[in-house]
Amino acid sequence: MLRLAVCIIAEKPDQGTRLAAPYPTEKKQGYLYIKPNPDFPDGAYMTWAVGHLCELVSPETYESSWKKWSLQTLPMIPNQFQYQVTKGKWKQFNVIKELVNKKDVGSIIHAGDAGREGELIVRTILNQARCKKPMKRLWISSLTERAVKEGFQSLLEETETRNLYYEAYARSCADWVVGINASRVYTLLFKQKGLQDVFSAGRVQTPTLALVVQREKEIGNFKSEPFWEVKGTFDYNGKIIVGKWINEDQTRLESPEMAQAIAQFCEKKDCLASEVKKERKQYKAPFLYQLSSLQSTANKRYKFSPKKTLDIAQKLYTKGNISYPRSDSSFVTKDEAAEFPSILSKLQKQSSYQEYFPLKRDSLLTDKRFVNAAKVSDHYAIIPTDQVPNLDKLSGDEAKIYDLIARSLLAAHEEASIVDYTTVLTLVDNRALFQSKGQVRIQEGWQRIIPSSQKDEELPPIEKNEQGKVVAAEVTEGKTQPPKRFTEGQLITMMKTAGKHLDDESLEKILKDTEGLGTEATRAGIITMLKDRKYIDVVKNQVFATEKGILLIDSIGNAVLSSPEMTAKWEQRLKQIGSGEASPQAFMESVKKLAAKLTSDAVESSASWDLKDIKIEAQPSKKSLGKKIGTCPLCGSDVLDKGKLFGCSSYAKTNCPFTISKRILGKPISQTNAKKILTDGKSNVIKGLKSKKGTFDAALVWSADEKKLTFEFDKK
């Protein structure tokens, strides 16, 4: 009887190495040979993709006339979608093709990431290699040796995950149709109006950009108004408290005269503690991390971009230190919870965590806040594995991300944090009411592991109806503040909760069920794409919409492309395809109709666009980076386009500090204006520069005396 080996296909080389690690192997070119062992009695070939080895073909492959960008060819909708091997990846594809078609290979094990994209990557390779051999699916959430061996011993049937492939394939084709047609129609229409640039649009990136543009406009349209508050200091028998004047829950006054009158009325008067309220609140430990909450926390704590956090987490996963990072669940099943004591015993040996032991709870098995199989979909929460690393041997950034994940597990085993909140209402001369607030932490609980940013402000013990005196009453002035710009971490959260921007409650529920715009695995990439395409800028972790981004969203207007509504309906249908409840063919028919509508709506709305005063400078290509734009006024060397700024070419040699930022006070600085500063000493007038006092128009002027850029205000 002919003995047949299996061929295992992983998604990435390092993943393949980890999957083969429990077995004796021989290293070959592009694969590993696993020698016969109890799990693979006839041996196995372990090979891997390099991410997306195959991609959808370009438009001209379907129709030669589609190569030229023309409104007449839109919408472009292929009858049958085709894949091709990605340029530069033929070598590894041929390795896989040869292995899967070997006569001594009897079956395939699909070992891509356990999710819809992993399903698509490996099955597409097999389709391109024309492999029809029987296949089983490895489905694991950890790359520890034990998890790998258990996974290979309990493989899924190929049919159990086939619908996930249909879901991913439909998503891929549909995004191609919408992205290609929307990008071409807006680029061509803007070109007709004199704007020479490429305008990319897409199902997830465009509604995400719309969220940023909406916030940018809220900030730009905000008019700051002054307000006044009255602060009182009170002496209750030697116990001093401070409070704000309050009326119907409002502390702000619109009139300085009224504020002064209240302050004067209160001076040296008697007062009374008319009400003393105490409220005790318990705060349970935070949920375990899913990817978006990990990205949000890392951005807030360390200013890491979402992509950086995902990349670091992926490295820790590949090393076997944490579970699968692209998880959308904050829960684990009882099987994982049963392993927590073993993991904790290993964490206890790390010097960073020894002080927290013993923990208050030995087990979480009965705690549904953390252990709930019904809320675990493809993957459970991101947790440390029993392969606990020496933190000193991790890179600095890896240690930071691992520490967040480890502390979340430690905190889950702690008691609730208990805080007492006290509110004292002081009544002055039976007329003016002041409110004082304090808080005291009664039980630190889990916050000894994840410290709170809130500081205790304890009020002295004051009894109801206790008599006192007004020590002082003063007026303070403030100004209303505009909404804050999103950080990258907040933008991830906004994408996840975009449903709250919908008026339709049923659509809001869809977005809630499908986790908003994009998926845990794709959101970081969408934000990176918006940065790369110059629709947003991130300065000191604040997300700005660029003029290019604002122009695109303004031009799209209320069209379905910029709304979370389309993504909500789309994700709902994709989810139904993945569960076998909906037809991918019917879905694609609706996508084709949508593409036709998007292009016709854009052409129709372009008639009303007025872009005479708008100038969007085309972004420099990679070839133009390093291009000379002028002479350095400090040292005479060349000033180069360095991507994020214009800077002196002698910086590396002489530390010459001359730079011109590409964004000043919220406005982009074009290469044209940078050249004018270097040649004429002054830029054109830039409109809409933003300061704390409002917006203004000014030219940028190089001051030779001060050796810095200054403003020359528009005389108008």
Side-chain angles (χ1 to χ4, degrees):
M1 181 179 172
L2 182 65
R3 300 175 70 84
L4 298 175
V6 299
C7 181
I8 309 164
I9 307 175
E11 197 168 313
K12 306 175 190 74
D14 49 7
Q15 187 183 41
T17 302
R18 292 287 310 175
L19 291 172
Y23 308 105
T25 60
E26 288 179 14
K27 190 172 183 180
K28 305 289 184 179
Q29 190 66 40
Y31 69 98
L32 297 167
Y33 175 65
I34 298 175
K35 298 174 183 178
N37 62 79
D39 285 347
F40 303 104
D42 302 316
Y45 299 96
M46 170 66 73
T47 187
W48 44 78
V50 189
H52 285 270
L53 270 189
C54 302
E55 61 186 2
L56 287 166
V57 301
S58 55
E60 59 269 21
T61 308
Y62 301 110
E63 297 278 351
S64 59
S65 62
W66 288 0
K67 184 172 185 178
K68 182 183 177 183
W69 286 43
S70 166
L71 291 173
Q72 282 66 50
T73 61
L74 302 180
M76 297 180 293
I77 303 172
N79 290 323
Q80 180 67 44
F81 286 92
Q82 300 172 31
Y83 274 89
Q84 64 186 12
V85 177
T86 304
K87 188 177 180 181
K89 296 187 177 181
W90 271 100
K91 184 177 180 181
Q92 187 59 23
F93 173 78
N94 284 331
V95 169
I96 298 173
K97 184 178 180 181
E98 184 178 334
L99 286 174
V100 298
N101 289 312
K102 282 172 73 79
K103 289 184 178 179
D104 70 329
V105 169
S107 62
I108 309 296
I109 295 177
H110 181 328
D113 277 356
R116 74 181 185 189
E117 289 308 304
E119 201 68 34
L120 177 69
I121 287 171
V122 174
R123 287 188 188 248
T124 302
I125 293 169
L126 291 170
N127 289 340
Q128 290 299 110
R130 302 186 184 282
C131 176
K132 303 289 185 184
K133 292 178 180 178
M135 181 172 78
K136 291 203 172 184
R137 182 67 158 102
L138 176 71
W139 194 273
I140 55 177
S141 290
S142 165
L143 288 176
T144 62
E145 181 171 320
R146 192 189 67 182
V148 168
K149 289 181 73 70
E150 287 178 355
F152 279 125
Q153 289 161 10
S154 54
L155 295 167
L156 301 180
E157 294 298 324
E158 168 272 331
T159 51
E160 294 180 69
T161 60
R162 190 186 298 170
N163 283 328
L164 268 185
Y165 164 70
Y166 293 146
E167 177 186 346
Y169 179 61
R171 194 273 315 151
S172 177
C173 297
D175 278 351
W176 187 96
V177 169
V178 171
I180 287 282
N181 287 290
S183 299
R184 287 202 178 190
V185 73
Y186 282 103
T187 298
L188 290 166
L189 291 171
F190 283 133
K191 190 174 182 180
Q192 287 180 355
K193 302 283 184 178
L195 295 180
Q196 303 294 324
D197 203 351
V198 175
F199 286 81
S200 162
R203 170 181 71 95
V204 180
Q205 62 162 308
T206 303
T208 301
L209 175 60
L211 294 175
V212 180
V213 170
Q214 178 185 342
R215 178 54 57 92
E216 195 74 41
K217 291 193 168 187
E218 289 170 356
I219 294 169
N221 295 331
F222 184 84
K223 290 185 179 178
S224 184
E225 301 287 348
F227 65 86
W228 291 265
E229 293 181 321
V230 183
K231 186 171 75 172
T233 305
F234 311 102
D235 183 348
Y236 285 99
N237 302 309
K239 297 171 289 190
I240 306 297
I241 66 171
V242 176
K244 284 183 181 179
W245 174 87
I246 186 169
N247 182 35
E248 294 182 351
D249 294 328
Q250 290 295 318
T251 63
R252 295 177 177 181
L253 292 153
E254 297 178 3
S255 160
E257 292 81 12
M258 177 62 76
Q260 287 293 350
I262 293 170
Q264 287 171 8
F265 168 79
C266 294
E267 284 288 352
K268 309 304 179 185
K269 292 275 177 62
D270 291 333
C271 62
L272 172 78
S274 63
E275 193 172 348
V276 178
K277 293 186 288 188
K278 289 187 178 180
E279 184 181 11
R280 177 165 290 189
K281 288 189 177 180
Q282 290 196 17
Y283 297 97
K284 293 181 179 179
F287 289 110
L288 298 172
Y289 282 118
Q290 53 182 214
L291 179 58
S292 58
S293 59
L294 180 64
Q295 289 169 319
S296 182
T297 302
N299 179 259
K300 185 175 182 179
R301 188 81 53 88
Y302 304 119
K303 304 293 186 288
F304 287 179
S305 71
K307 182 180 185 302
K308 180 174 181 176
T309 298
L310 176 55
D311 289 346
I312 294 168
Q314 182 68 35
K315 287 180 184 176
L316 291 169
Y317 166 67
T318 302
K319 290 179 179 180
N321 302 142
I322 65 170
S323 61
Y324 186 68
R326 292 175 171 82
S327 174
D328 61 357
S329 176
S330 299
F331 301 87
V332 297
T333 68
K334 288 191 174 183
D335 286 345
E336 284 79 53
E339 300 301 321
F340 286 169
S342 171
I343 297 168
L344 292 172
S345 68
K346 293 178 180 178
L347 286 172
Q348 187 176 1
K349 295 174 184 175
Q350 296 289 323
S351 59
S352 301
Y353 308 124
Q354 284 173 356
E355 64 179 293
Y356 303 123
F357 288 86
L359 297 165
K360 294 295 181 184
R361 298 201 286 174
D362 297 327
S363 172
L364 297 181
L365 279 172
T366 58
D367 190 339
K368 286 196 171 183
R369 182 174 178 80
F370 304 104
V371 184
N372 190 337
K375 294 188 177 182
V376 176
S377 51
D378 293 339
H379 299 283
Y380 49 81
I382 305 173
I383 55 174
T385 66
D386 60 4
Q387 198 167 301
V388 173
N390 182 337
L391 266 64
D392 296 333
K393 293 186 178 179
L394 293 176
S395 72
D397 289 345
E398 287 175 348
K400 287 174 180 175
I401 295 299
Y402 185 84
D403 182 63
L404 290 178
I405 297 166
R407 284 177 184 271
S408 75
L409 183 62
L410 294 174
H413 286 78
E414 272 296 317
E415 294 176 303
S417 172
I418 302 175
V419 181
D420 275 355
Y421 294 93
T422 304
T423 303
V424 176
L425 295 180
T426 296
L427 186 62
V428 178
D429 201 23
N430 290 317
R431 288 182 64 187
L433 193 64
F434 288 76
Q435 180 177 263
S436 306
K437 289 190 171 184
Q439 64 179 53
V440 183
R441 206 164 307 277
I442 302 301
Q443 178 173 288
E444 199 172 20
W446 60 269
Q447 289 186 345
R448 72 190 184 99
I449 297 169
I450 306 175
S452 170
S453 58
Q454 288 186 322
K455 294 182 179 178
D456 285 3
E457 292 183 15
E458 187 172 358
L459 291 179
I462 293 170
E463 300 298 326
K464 185 177 180 180
N465 295 326
E466 190 170 340
Q467 303 285 333
K469 284 274 188 186
V470 178
V471 176
E474 58 181 332
V475 175
T476 59
E477 183 180 353
K479 282 190 173 182
T480 56
Q481 297 297 311
K484 291 183 178 179
R485 285 187 168 81
F486 301 128
T487 64
E488 286 192 81
Q490 288 167 337
L491 186 53
I492 284 280
T493 304
M494 287 297 293
M495 293 174 74
K496 189 177 178 68
T497 61
K500 69 183 181 182
H501 292 275
L502 295 175
D503 296 326
D504 185 324
E505 287 185 8
S506 63
L507 288 174
E508 189 172 328
K509 185 177 186 302
I510 293 167
L511 270 177
K512 184 180 178 184
D513 291 345
T514 56
E515 299 297 309
L517 300 172
T519 65
E520 296 292 325
T522 61
R523 289 186 192 114
I526 292 295
I527 293 176
T528 301
M529 185 190 300
L530 291 174
K531 286 192 265 187
D532 291 345
R533 291 173 178 174
K534 309 302 178 186
Y535 289 140
I536 64 173
D537 276 341
V538 179
V539 181
K540 294 182 179 177
N541 203 32
Q542 302 293 303
V543 181
F544 293 77
T546 65
E547 288 189 359
K548 181 179 178 182
I550 293 169
L551 172 63
L552 178 63
I553 296 303
D554 282 352
S555 301
I556 291 173
N558 294 322
V560 68
L561 184 60
S562 66
S563 167
E565 177 181 331
M566 181 182 76
T567 292
K569 291 180 175 178
W570 198 313
E571 287 293 349
Q572 182 190 47
R573 189 57 57 86
L574 286 171
K575 204 170 186 182
Q576 290 171 344
I577 293 170
S579 61
E581 301 170 47
S583 157
Q585 291 81 8
F587 171 72
M588 285 308 301
E589 286 305 313
S590 66
V591 168
K592 291 173 183 179
K593 291 175 183 176
L594 174 64
K597 179 171 172 52
L598 287 176
T599 51
S600 62
D601 284 354
V603 172
E604 186 178 330
S605 67
S606 67
S608 62
W609 296 350
D610 181 9
L611 310 181
K612 284 183 291 187
D613 297 326
I614 294 178
K615 292 182 179 178
I616 302 291
E617 183 168 306
Q619 298 299 326
S621 65
K622 289 184 179 179
K623 291 181 181 178
S624 70
L625 290 179
K627 177 182 174 184
K628 176 182 175 180
I629 64 162
T631 302
C632 176
L634 293 179
C635 71
S637 300
D638 293 342
V639 173
L640 308 178
D641 185 336
K642 294 187 174 183
K644 290 190 175 181
L645 52 80
F646 306 105
C648 181
S649 60
S650 293
Y651 172 75
K653 295 179 183 177
T654 66
N655 285 324
C656 177
F658 180 80
T659 59
I660 300 174
S661 173
K662 287 194 174 182
R663 177 170 284 274
I664 295 176
L665 295 183
K667 301 300 288 185
I669 306 303
S670 66
Q671 196 175 97
T672 301
N673 270 326
K675 285 180 179 178
K676 284 184 71 67
I677 292 168
L678 295 172
T679 54
D680 305 337
K682 185 171 84 170
S683 73
N684 295 321
V685 172
I686 300 169
K687 295 184 176 182
L689 293 160
K690 298 180 177 100
S691 72
K692 290 182 179 179
K693 295 181 179 179
T695 59
F696 64 95
D697 304 338
L700 292 170
V701 177
W702 173 254
S703 170
D705 295 334
E706 298 180 55
K707 293 184 171 52
K708 68 176 186 179
L709 288 174
T710 59
F711 295 113
E712 182 180 287
F713 294 95
D714 189 0
K715 291 176 182 176
K716 294 179 184 178

